[in-house]
Amino acid sequence: MDALVRFVEGFFALIQTGADTFVGIATGIIPTLLVLMTLVNLIVRLIGPERVERTAEKLTGNVFARYLVLPVISVIVLMNPLATTMGRFLKEEHKPGFIDATESFFHPPLGLFPHINPAEIFVYMGIAIGIQTLGLSLAPMAVRAFLAGLVVILVRGIITERIMALMMARRGITVDSLYEVAEEQPRAAMF
């Protein structure tokens, strides 16, 4: 009987922990994301979508700006996961590389900008505790991780763009044909 009682208590503790986590998400990150998304949309509407898109097209015509500058600014300012929304201002053929570069940069700068991905700070802190135990400074590791991240996102963005172009060329797919296929297919119900 005691074992059954302990099992039920443990089960309800698990359910309560899940509920507490859900409430934390519902009152923490979800409102923050909604406000950030609203703010970005407001800024775009105030400036004008056409002007923003023209400016973004000019800025992202350069591979370094596309896979280095824009992802870094997006990640530092908009954080995870909203940073990827800046990809909407890119040409279709550049979006996969941008997403790869941006998502690859959520971890490297955590030592300098912990607000970027607070849910994953434990990974950085696990390493940081070991370094501090050795009596070493965290600053060199943080700077090296940031710089290594810059190299990685540039390379990944370029490689992903090239792989996407090759795959599309092999299958005879063009960016315009992607829109045609999307228009032809009926939208499925969510549930």
Side-chain angles (χ1 to χ4, degrees), residues 7-150:
F7 172 77
V8 171
E9 287 174 343
F11 179 74
F12 282 116
L14 176 68
I15 298 298
Q16 185 60 49
T17 301
D20 293 342
T21 302
F22 175 74
V23 168
I25 290 170
T27 60
I29 194 165
I30 291 175
T32 302
L33 289 175
L34 290 175
V35 170
L36 279 170
M37 288 172 25
T38 303
L39 180 63
V40 169
N41 285 326
L42 172 70
I43 292 169
V44 168
R45 287 187 185 224
L46 288 174
I47 295 171
E50 299 82 18
R51 290 175 68 189
V52 171
E53 287 175 15
R54 277 195 313 268
T55 303
E57 190 172 319
K58 287 177 188 173
L59 290 175
T60 58
N62 179 321
V63 71
F64 293 102
R66 186 168 53 242
Y67 300 128
L68 197 61
V69 177
L70 187 60
V72 169
I73 291 171
S74 298
V75 167
I76 291 172
V77 174
L78 298 175
M79 304 173 292
N80 182 17
L82 196 59
T84 57
T85 62
M86 293 305 289
R88 75 182 190 177
F89 300 114
L90 296 168
K91 292 180 180 178
E92 290 299 316
E93 58 265 26
H94 302 309
K95 287 181 181 181
F98 173 79
I99 296 298
D100 192 2
T102 302
E103 291 184 359
S104 297
F105 200 63
F106 286 143
H107 294 282
L110 283 177
L112 300 175
F113 306 102
H115 71 281
I116 290 171
N117 200 2
E120 298 292 332
I121 195 72
F122 67 90
V123 175
Y124 172 79
M125 292 308 295
I127 297 167
I129 290 169
I131 289 174
Q132 285 179 324
T133 302
L134 295 172
L136 301 172
S137 171
L138 294 178
M141 180 188 72
V143 171
R144 286 184 184 113
F146 184 84
L147 294 174
L150 294 177

Side-chain angles (χ1 to χ4, degrees), residues 169-187:
R170 283 186 185 164
R171 295 192 172 116
I173 299 171
T174 63
V175 173
D176 294 333
S177 69
L178 292 174
Y179 288 112
E180 292 169 8
V181 170
E183 290 172 359
E184 291 172 5
Q185 294 180 354
R187 294 187 184 258

